[in-house]
Amino acid sequence: MLQVSVLKEQTDRVLAGLAKRNFPNADAEVQRILGLDQRRRQLQTEHDSAQAEANKLAQQIGGLMKSGDKAGAETLKARTAELKGQTKTAAEELTQVEKELQDALYRIPNVPHQSVPAGRSADDNEVVREVGQKPELPADAQPHWELIKKLDIIDFELGNKITGAGFPVYKGQGARLQRALINFFLEQALDAGYTEIQPPILINEASGYGTGQLPDKEGQMYHATADDLYLIPTAEVPITNLYRDEIIPTERLPIRNTGYTPCFRREAGSWGAHVRGLNRLHQFDKVEIVQITRPEDSYAALDGMVAHIEGLLQQLGLPYRVLRLCGGDMGFTSALTFDLEVWSAAQQRWLEVSSASNFETYQANRLKLRYRDENNKTQLLHTLNGSALALPRIVAALLENNQQPDGTIKLPEVLHRYCGFQQLG
């Protein structure tokens, strides 16, 4: 979340950024927060002054009792009782105001980086570059949902029987391809200097608030209400929360972690070809990369993460493009996001397979994730994450782009040793 000091000292920049996001009633919300902060400070002063006076009188009462001045002591006792009442009232109101302030701050999104283009939807995103040659398929080429039936490698009906729509069952070569992609992505991340983490896939409420999924995406997360735990939407959440409430020694920076997890999202989208098959699921596998850096290093780190993801797509031989998301299409917590999309030849459309984001201090402020600067003062760190990569649409593009006249699917050479076979079918 944004710091109150930023809202106070950089109000114009904040409002300009929120306007780029098309955030409604931004000025009124910011002024409400500043008013709550002013009231919080006033109540804290009243509470501390009353407490200090009561403590001082308590010392004087002891002296008066020793000297035999019971009447004077009783007068001070009455005043002390009055002060205690004032302290209690101020403390109760302070607690309420602090909660209102925190809730209001939680509902303000991050301020976009200056390079973020204005816009309201994905149509307004900026194409940074397009890489690779789109394959030309014969007229009878099939989309991946038809190919997987013919190859019998993924079964949506079985998943629906066991759980419901959006939970596919991977079988035979399909299951082995999943495992191969996960291992390939993880090994590439390890070679790039990331440390592998295998985190829990259930998180508590504090973790959800820490990285910004709560309260913004509460309705999109699966909630195990009996234990008040949430299934993770991405490995970013538990991996970043490893460092909640910590002051990181500078010699440990940057922190660079990677992890594979299944991911769970309730909102799987509407009906139509754009969400058929593997295009959108409730459960899917993903390898994530996460970095924690000093503020001055974070944008170079973001560029490095994007380059890493591009390297994966190049090795898989998939045509792709890099998009800089506009203000209206960015995630709630992000300051700058690059999406990477692969070309799906049979569907004749781009499929998002990765987002790489710099959150600047937004998550770190919620997490109380800090370091000490050269003056030994604590400062907030920057957090970043990227999908490297999400599997379903990678599989969809591999199937569609590499289908052969004999019905087989030719796999990229880089996957052969991970799969143990060179083609599907």
Side-chain angles (χ1 to χ4, degrees):
M1 66 189 169
L2 298 176
Q3 297 169 273
V4 174
S5 60
V6 170
L7 294 173
K8 185 183 298 183
E9 297 164 11
Q10 303 176 41
T11 306
D12 290 345
R13 183 181 77 87
V14 170
L15 291 177
L18 295 179
K20 190 179 282 189
R21 280 185 172 273
N22 311 299
F23 184 73
N25 305 315
D27 186 60
E29 289 299 315
V30 169
Q31 292 306 318
R32 176 171 174 263
I33 287 171
L34 295 180
L36 286 168
D37 182 61
Q38 184 177 5
R39 179 57 178 158
R40 179 188 66 81
R41 293 173 182 273
Q42 179 184 352
L43 286 167
Q44 189 68 62
T45 299
E46 292 175 4
H47 175 275
D48 293 349
S49 296
Q51 186 69 58
E53 185 180 350
N55 292 340
K56 184 178 179 181
L57 292 180
Q59 295 176 348
Q60 294 176 3
I61 289 169
L64 291 173
M65 291 294 289
K66 286 182 181 179
S67 66
D69 187 357
K70 292 184 179 180
E74 290 301 321
T75 299
L76 293 188
K77 284 182 180 180
R79 174 58 180 161
T80 300
E82 182 182 330
L83 289 168
K84 286 183 178 178
Q86 293 177 8
T87 302
K88 183 174 182 293
T89 299
E92 290 172 349
E93 188 177 350
L94 181 61
T95 298
Q96 180 60 35
V97 168
E98 286 177 336
K99 184 180 184 307
E100 289 181 30
L101 176 60
Q102 189 83 342
D103 289 346
L105 285 169
Y106 278 146
R107 285 169 170 78
I108 300 290
N110 202 356
V111 176
H113 186 264
Q114 60 185 7
S115 67
V116 171
R120 292 190 170 274
S121 70
D123 294 335
D124 301 312
N125 292 335
E126 172 192 335
V127 178
V128 178
R129 57 187 165 272
E130 188 174 316
V131 180
Q133 187 71 32
K134 296 177 182 176
E136 294 184 8
L137 300 181
D140 61 350
Q142 294 180 301
H144 71 272
W145 53 83
E146 297 295 342
L147 294 170
I148 61 178
K149 286 181 183 177
K150 184 172 66 176
L151 294 166
D152 194 26
I153 56 174
I154 303 173
D155 197 318
F156 286 94
E157 292 304 318
L158 281 179
N160 190 51
K161 173 183 177 181
I162 297 166
T163 308
F167 295 87
V169 172
Y170 298 84
K171 304 188 297 184
Q173 285 188 317
R176 293 175 69 184
L177 177 59
Q178 288 287 107
R179 180 157 48 89
L181 284 166
I182 292 165
N183 287 336
F184 170 59
F185 294 152
L186 283 174
E187 285 197 10
Q188 290 290 301
L190 296 180
D191 290 345
Y194 290 86
T195 299
E196 185 174 355
I197 303 291
Q198 190 174 70
I201 61 172
L202 284 162
I203 58 164
N204 55 30
E205 186 178 73
S207 294
Y209 274 94
T211 45
Q213 281 67 37
L214 297 176
D216 179 54
K217 291 181 172 58
E218 186 168 10
Q220 297 180 32
M221 297 173 70
Y222 284 96
H223 189 190
T225 55
D227 299 297
D228 198 20
L229 297 174
Y230 295 84
L231 285 165
I232 61 169
T234 167
E236 165 209 343
V237 183
I239 291 177
T240 308
N241 269 281
L242 294 173
Y243 307 97
R244 190 170 75 237
D245 298 319
E246 284 198 20
I247 299 175
I248 307 297
T250 53
E251 61 268 21
R252 289 180 58 194
L253 297 170
I255 291 172
R256 306 171 82 229
N257 289 331
T258 186
Y260 152 70
T261 64
C263 304
F264 303 88
R265 299 183 186 180
R266 292 185 64 238
E267 298 296 329
S270 56
W271 295 100
H274 67 292
V275 296
R276 287 191 68 179
L278 297 170
N279 286 347
R280 191 166 297 175
L281 302 173
H282 286 303
Q283 178 182 333
F284 60 95
D285 293 320
K286 182 154 65 81
V287 172
E288 196 81 358
I289 51 176
V290 174
Q291 290 204 39
I292 297 169
T293 76
R294 294 182 302 175
E296 61 266 32
D297 300 328
S298 67
Y299 279 97
L302 180 61
D303 289 341
M305 294 170 81
V306 172
H308 174 78
I309 298 163
E310 289 189 74
L312 299 176
L313 296 174
Q314 290 166 12
Q315 290 184 76
L316 292 173
L318 293 172
Y320 68 90
R321 66 179 184 177
V322 180
L323 304 177
R324 189 194 311 268
L325 298 195
C326 71
D329 198 35
M330 288 173 59
F332 188 86
T333 55
S334 175
L336 176 61
T337 295
F338 292 102
D339 271 8
L340 288 93
E341 300 178 334
V342 296
W343 179 249
S344 176
Q347 298 179 71
Q348 290 289 294
R349 58 188 290 259
W350 293 100
L351 302 176
E352 180 198 332
V353 294
S354 176
S355 285
S357 300
N358 188 348
F359 306 105
E360 296 187 355
T361 61
Y362 193 90
Q363 289 182 335
N365 191 32
R366 290 180 174 221
L367 295 160
K368 295 182 174 59
L369 172 54
R370 298 155 292 166
Y371 75 109
R372 294 192 186 277
D373 64 17
E374 61 275 9
N375 300 314
N376 206 37
K377 293 182 62 177
T378 57
Q379 304 286 352
L380 292 172
L381 287 158
H382 280 196
T383 61
L384 307 92
N385 86 282
S387 310
L389 285 158
L391 271 66
R393 293 172 186 169
I394 290 289
V395 172
L398 287 174
L399 292 173
E400 294 183 5
N401 295 6
N402 297 317
Q403 53 187 302
Q404 303 299 306
D406 63 357
T408 63
I409 309 294
K410 182 180 178 181
L411 292 175
E413 186 175 346
V414 73
L415 294 181
H416 292 177
R417 73 180 181 92
Y418 295 96
C419 289
F421 48 83
Q422 299 181 12
Q423 66 182 33
L424 297 171

